[in-house]
Amino acid sequence: MDHPVASSQLTESLVKRLAGPSTGKAGLAKDQTEINRIIAEASKGSKFYENEKRKDKDLTERIARILKLRDEAIEGVDLTKIEHHVDKLIVDLENGRDLSQVIVHFDMDAFFANVELLHNPTLKGKPFSVGGGVISTASYEARKYGVRSGMPSFIAKKLCPELILLRSHYEWYNEESNKVFTILRRYDPRLSAAGCDEGYLNITPYLQKHNLNPDECVEEIRRTVHAETNLTVSAGIAPNMNKPNGQYHLAFDSKTIIDFMGGLSIRKVPGIGRVNERLLESVGVKTCGDIYTHRAVLYLMDKQFGLRFLLRTYLGIASNEVKPYERNERKSIGAERTFSPLSTTKDMLDKLEEVAAELEGDMESSGWMGRTVTLKFKLDTFQVLTRAKSLNHWVNKKEELFAVGKELLFPELPISIRLIGLRVTKLKDLKASTSEGIKRFFGLAQQATSGSKRKAYDIDEDEADNASVDQEHDNDDDVMPGFHEQDEADIDPSQHDVDDDEELQIIQPLAHTRKRPPNSVPGISMSHPPALRSRSKSAGPSRSHGAAIAAPSTTISTPPETHTCPICNEVLTTNNTGLNAHIDYCLSRDAIKQAQGTSTKANKVLSSGDTTKEYAMNGLKRLKLRPDAPVKSKRKG
DNA sequence: GCGGATCAC
DNA sequence: TATGGTGATCCGC
């Protein structure tokens, strides 16, 4: 059935991709279907759109391969037995849950837009957006029309003719961002920034010192930020969300967290983007609760879907580690630029040289050199390609970067491109091993010496990731394809004041942490917290993530050993052995009930651990599965 | 090590 | 009137 696709027959996923849900909520000035229609109309026929269609088709084929693989995998297999085994894994993970740390995720509301408001109050109440050709942030009024971050301005204008398009003022955002982070550091000097308007705080020590509970503290933080900057911030404590004005609290217990997670769309989990959402959906997993339901299949397809990551997501367990970004974590540094399609060698070289000059400036000012240079270019068809070369020495000079770039570009020639960029990896830190390194060395030595620094972690497992979500607004996010910026939350003016938005999230605390977390926190993007890249670099508001928390155990150290049975949810005060005994009992009881026809979720026992790996960065394993069907379409020009 | 992909912000 | 930029990770070669 490979009939020409009627132009009107856009797949659901594609439409979603182009517009983003935000299902018709009351209060929207425009109906979502109307919004989708306008966007589809404006996109149709463009190269960008055609490229999206191509990708969508590839994904559909990939899904077909996955389903085939699944069918082969489950054939003749006793899924019940597998479920038992997985349940055992779940118990192990549950035992590792750490509810001792109170971690808060904060996110500035419509950051760029609100900073613009500070500079121009007359914009209040009007639909406006910040950004150039592509919108970084839209005011709440603009969002009512379907305007979203990541959306090209010309489409936004169609959705909202009165839209006021503002240019970005990064200096202003940087300044405000610094103010906010400075305030937040009073509550956790080691906070972890995730961009210029978002981050995580471990307020456990602060709470103890000031004898506050999480809600009081978060309220104080939000109040202080607003008082000192006139900007509003949303925060999530554990599974917290803010309803009317801020805080809603989710109890710090396993059952509550699991129940909460259960209703969340997996798309809300960091690391699960549009592609993984579709892949998981193809095997029946739409919500975090579905992970449990389909655990046997997910187990069999661990290679495609990282079972362990998903189980932790189901349980609502994530990393508990909150620490500042460290210089030595940097892996690459690069620069790229988009322009109207160019095809003459001279034009392209001019752009390449510009990019090389910019990169040299950045490398020099930040003190890095690297041994591998990667050229990136995007064809006028929007297809992105890269070509790399490793050298015997470290480079950071424009001339050399340019030379290597040329060398990589020439063989590709004749091409027509709309973007060109250079990235350097295999870095050498020019500022390391000097005073800074010495300091760090002594710092670590001191820590090690003071041994008891706080036992903090339990066993040492591996990994650390997190999952989080937003709740309440079902889907509001998603914008245009490639850009995802994120609207922090959907606004539903009919419900609350636009001022404090909603948002909420969770983060799952987890017990063991590893020394070096693969990347626990979503993305510690830019270097230091706030720092926006000076120029027209990027940034934009966020996606919701979670932060959250942990049990407020009064005693900071090791909380009494209480565990919640993953089967019956009963809270037990016992050690692992006792817990396992209880679970065995529980499982057998469950089996009986099941035999009697009682529907139950959990099943039985398990045996040992598993060797699932996880996606270091975001969690999900690559759901690849490519028998190899290279982009059939034109292979690079 | 390289190139393609996915993801976050 | 034509859809961003920076950085990271993972997979399969």
Side-chain angles (χ1 to χ4, degrees), chain A residues 111 115 118-119 172-180 229 231:
Chain A
F111 190 54
V115 172
L118 292 181
H119 291 261
W172 294 352
Y173 315 144
N174 204 358
E175 187 184 337
E176 296 305 320
S177 175
N178 283 326
K179 285 187 196 168
V180 173
T229 68
L231 291 169

Side-chain angles (χ1 to χ4, degrees), chain A residues 13 62 189 381 509:
Chain A
S13 75
R62 188 168 149 197
T381 58

Side-chain angles (χ1 to χ4, degrees), chain A residues 107-108 110-113 129-132 134-138 148-150 167-174 177 181 194-198 483-488 525-543:
Chain A
D107 188 319
M108 300 303 297
F111 190 54
F112 291 4
S129 63
V130 181
V134 166
I135 292 168
S136 291
T137 306
R148 293 294 146 81
S149 51
R167 300 274 297 177
S168 302
H169 293 97
Y170 295 100
E171 328 71 48
W172 294 352
Y173 315 144
N174 204 358
S177 175
F181 276 88
C196 66
D197 74 328
E198 184 181 348
F483 211 133
H484 204 57
E485 198 32 338
Q486 230 40 299
D487 317 274
E488 19 254 50
S525 59
M526 346 202 111
S527 32
H528 335 309
L532 293 191
R533 291 270 276 123
S534 47
R535 270 192 265 302
S536 59
K537 308 246 174 164
S538 70
S542 54
R543 168 192 180 137

Side-chain angles (χ1 to χ4, degrees), chain A residues 43-60:
Chain A
S43 302
K44 204 171 343 177
S46 67
K47 295 224 169 124
F48 174 83
Y49 178 72
E50 291 305 314
N51 187 249
E52 288 303 314
K53 271 207 306 199
R54 173 183 63 78
K55 290 196 291 186
D56 191 75
K57 179 166 169 259
D58 289 348
L59 180 55
T60 298

Side-chain angles (χ1 to χ4, degrees), chain A residues 445-618:
Chain A
Q446 188 179 1
Q447 260 187 25
T449 303
S450 61
S452 58
K453 208 208 170 203
R454 164 132 8 120
K455 49 168 34 306
Y457 318 118
D458 302 313
I459 312 177
D460 142 65
E461 252 223 312
D462 54 347
E463 92 206 27
D465 42 305
N466 65 41
S468 76
V469 191
D470 170 322
Q471 164 210 27
E472 190 89 8
H473 2 306
D474 237 349
N475 3 295
D476 25 332
D477 77 289
D478 274 36
V479 187
M480 296 299 282
F483 211 133
H484 204 57
E485 198 32 338
Q486 230 40 299
D487 317 274
E488 19 254 50
D490 227 45
I491 19 107
D492 184 340
S494 69
Q495 276 194 358
H496 17 337
D497 200 31
V498 185
D499 203 31
D500 285 285
D501 57 13
E502 42 228 359
E503 194 58 83
L504 66 117
Q505 338 250 33
I506 301 192
I507 195 189
Q508 298 65 329
L510 163 48
H512 3 301
T513 23
R514 188 193 194 171
K515 328 173 139 253
R516 191 183 84 61
N519 212 335
S520 48
V521 185
I524 291 155
S525 59
M526 346 202 111
S527 32
H528 335 309
L532 293 191
R533 291 270 276 123
S534 47
R535 270 192 265 302
S536 59
K537 308 246 174 164
S538 70
S542 54
R543 168 192 180 137
S544 22
H545 280 323
I549 282 260
S553 65
T554 31
T555 55
I556 263 244
S557 50
T558 308
E561 283 220 67
T562 64
H563 301 286
T564 299
C565 171
I567 311 305
C568 70
N569 288 319
E570 187 179 333
V571 177
L572 312 164
T573 300
T574 177
N575 55 25
N576 284 351
T577 304
L579 176 64
N580 285 329
H582 167 86
I583 289 170
D584 283 341
Y585 162 73
C586 217
L587 289 172
S588 57
R589 180 178 62 184
D590 203 274
I592 293 171
K593 277 203 284 190
Q594 202 166 43
Q596 297 174 329
T598 304
S599 82
T600 340
K601 280 176 121 202
N603 281 343
K604 343 233 155 163
V605 199
L606 8 36
S607 66
S608 59
D610 175 81
T611 59
T612 312
K613 289 185 211 142
E614 298 177 329
Y615 229 7
M617 175 167 154
N618 302 316

